[in-house]
Amino acid sequence: MSDAGEELVLGIDVGGTYTRAVAVSLAGRILGRAERQAGNPRTTSERASRDAVLAAVHAVRDQARGRVRHVTLGIAGLIMAGEADERTRWRELIGADNVLVDSDARIAHAAAFGRAPGVCVVAGTGSQCLAFGPSGERVRVGGWGPRFGDEGSAYWIARRAIASALHDMDRAEETSMLRTLAAYAGVAMGAPPSERTRRLVNVLYDPALPLGHHARFAEEVGRLAGEGDAGAAALLAEAGRQLAEQALVAGARAGTARVAGSGGVLRGNAEVRRSFEAALRDRGAEPVTPWTTPELGAAYLSLVALGVDADACAAGWG
């Protein structure tokens, strides 16, 4: 636990699956960490997002009780930096001297490149891409949300896999994808067709569930691919190519060919990552491994905002 008089910054990654916070001293010492529920306001709600952030802040502040000089929030679902009124609202809610509000892609970019040029693709529940060029120009690609975009994301993978399984059911074909969907939804494959249909529709369109809930089915697709299912593997490979295409478009506009991937899909799914990196190399881009986590990327940006030597402070984060 930190000294009550120690000054610190907070970095917060507000994602579609988790909200993660870290407290860091102005010398770069990590003072506390916390993880709470999903906080993407597009796939949960504004209230749920606020509650997730405050729960994470309270948990990390129990470990680090000094004065909060600066907070950086990277919020999934945002496509640009927050306006002054939003920064003021968060500053008052958190109890900090200053707050920066931006997208989750912004803090992931810092976690990969610091202040250097590069392209960062974030693929979690949703997806988007952010690039900074040699002159500091900012280029965003994607991030259009689950209804009209989010190519290559967990939700994109899950939506296509579920559709494939439902088409299999229409054709009365008992495929591994359909069996997996039935198990996921708690539907017995041996039930009468009308009962299976009713149960699947009720689960897939349950109005009580947030929009991004079924993104978790992407994990089942990953498991099937690992077991040798060709259709699942092909879908994951296509997800990697979709993410690479976003990066290549952003890199061409920004004037940089260095590309990092972040988010649960690229970190946690080897098939997507292999396809992503292969597609980048085929087009002359250079895959880069992030040097730290997005929440620490957010803390890094807070240190930069305070004029601290952020690179020296972050040297041991790894």
Side-chain angles (χ1 to χ4, degrees), residues 100-167:
L100 169 67
V101 181
D102 211 321
S103 71
D104 59 338
R106 179 67 188 94
I107 63 171
H109 189 283
F113 300 104
R115 286 172 282 182
V119 182
C120 186
V121 180
V122 179
T125 302
S127 69
Q128 72 165 305
C129 179
L130 182 66
F132 285 92
S135 301
E137 60 273 35
R138 176 172 174 153
V139 174
R140 180 194 62 82
V141 171
W144 296 114
R147 289 194 177 94
F148 305 110
D150 283 354
E151 291 84 357
S153 69
Y155 190 86
W156 184 94
I157 293 167
R159 185 172 62 225
R160 279 154 180 77
I162 290 170
S164 174
L166 296 176
H167 294 158

Side-chain angles (χ1 to χ4, degrees), residues 2 31 61 112-114 133 141 167 178 211 221 231 242 268 274 300 302:
S2 68
L31 305 173
R61 293 287 281 137
F113 300 104
V141 171
H167 294 158
L178 178 56
L211 182 60
V221 180
Q242 291 283 337
R274 278 194 296 268
Y300 174 93
S302 282

Side-chain angles (χ1 to χ4, degrees), residues 179-251:
R179 288 192 296 271
T180 300
L181 176 62
Y184 166 82
V187 177
M189 284 297 296
S194 59
E195 176 66 11
R196 280 191 295 163
T197 298
R198 183 184 66 81
R199 291 286 305 280
L200 278 169
V201 169
N202 286 345
V203 169
L204 294 176
Y205 291 95
D206 184 347
L209 296 176
L211 182 60
H213 176 83
H214 294 304
R216 66 185 60 189
F217 190 69
E219 296 177 7
E220 297 299 321
V221 180
R223 181 184 60 78
L224 281 176
E227 294 172 356
D229 185 280
L235 178 56
L236 296 177
E238 178 59 23
R241 290 190 291 271
Q242 291 283 337
L243 294 169
E245 185 60 31
Q246 291 185 43
L248 292 163
V249 170

Side-chain angles (χ1 to χ4, degrees), residues 35-54:
E35 179 178 289
R36 291 297 184 267
Q37 69 271 25
N40 183 338
R42 285 187 179 176
T43 55
T44 55
S45 67
E46 291 287 347
R47 179 174 180 176
S49 178
R50 180 199 65 199
D51 290 348
V53 170
L54 293 182

Side-chain angles (χ1 to χ4, degrees), residues 50-118:
R50 180 199 65 199
D51 290 348
V53 170
L54 293 182
V57 168
H58 291 156
V60 82
R61 293 287 281 137
D62 283 343
Q63 305 164 57
R65 296 178 178 172
R67 175 185 171 188
V68 181
R69 291 287 310 281
H70 197 284
V71 178
T72 296
L73 294 106
I75 303 179
L78 293 189
I79 59 176
M80 59 188 69
E83 300 292 340
D85 58 343
E86 186 174 13
R87 296 195 301 272
T88 298
R89 178 173 65 91
W90 280 114
R91 180 173 55 79
E92 293 172 349
L93 284 169
I94 294 172
D97 292 357
N98 291 284
V99 171
L100 169 67
V101 181
D102 211 321
S103 71
D104 59 338
R106 179 67 188 94
I107 63 171
H109 189 283
F113 300 104
R115 286 172 282 182

Side-chain angles (χ1 to χ4, degrees), residues 5-32:
E6 188 168 14
E7 295 187 334
L8 54 98
V9 299
L10 302 182
I12 309 175
D13 179 15
V14 189
T17 305
Y18 303 103
T19 296
R20 295 185 172 100
V22 63
V24 175
S25 75
L26 300 194
R29 185 164 63 94
I30 297 173
L31 305 173

